[in-house]
């Protein structure tokens, strides 16, 4: 395996891990586990945000500041 192939393999693994983490966050949010408070500032996540984006783990302010779930929240 050459260096380019190894880099691709590592990138694919990272993408798969990030996807699994996003799925786990979404499942936790849907089950209500930790879905009510922002994971960064601890403030309540507004119900409208949770309804619009059930996988949200940050409040709007923290998400707007670029502090969301690995910059992939909502994608």
């Amino acid at each position: 395996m050459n260096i380019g192939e190894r880099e691709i393999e590592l990138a694919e693994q990272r993408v798969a891990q990030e996807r699994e983490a996003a799925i786990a966050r979404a499942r936790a949010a849907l089950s209500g586990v930790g879905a009510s408070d922002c994971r960064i500032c601890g403030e309540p996540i507004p119900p409208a945000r949770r309804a619009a984006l059930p996988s949200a783990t940050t409040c709007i302010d923290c998400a707007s500041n670029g502090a969301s779930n690995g910059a992939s929240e909502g994608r």
Side-chain angles (χ1 to χ4, degrees):
M1 176 178 302
N2 67 36
I3 293 174
E5 291 172 339
R6 180 68 180 146
E7 289 174 355
I8 291 171
E9 182 180 313
L10 291 173
E12 289 173 343
Q13 289 174 357
R14 187 171 48 251
V15 168
Q17 290 170 343
E18 290 171 1
R19 182 179 332 119
E20 290 300 317
I23 290 169
R25 285 191 303 271
R27 285 184 177 148
L30 290 172
S31 70
V33 177
S36 61
D37 296 329
C38 176
R39 68 176 178 82
I40 295 172
C41 70
E43 292 295 316
I45 298 173
R49 176 164 170 76
R50 288 187 285 131
L53 186 62
S55 64
T57 59
T58 58
C59 66
I60 294 170
D61 289 338
C62 289
S64 296
N65 291 329
S68 66
N69 300 327
S72 65
E73 185 172 76
R75 289 188 196 166

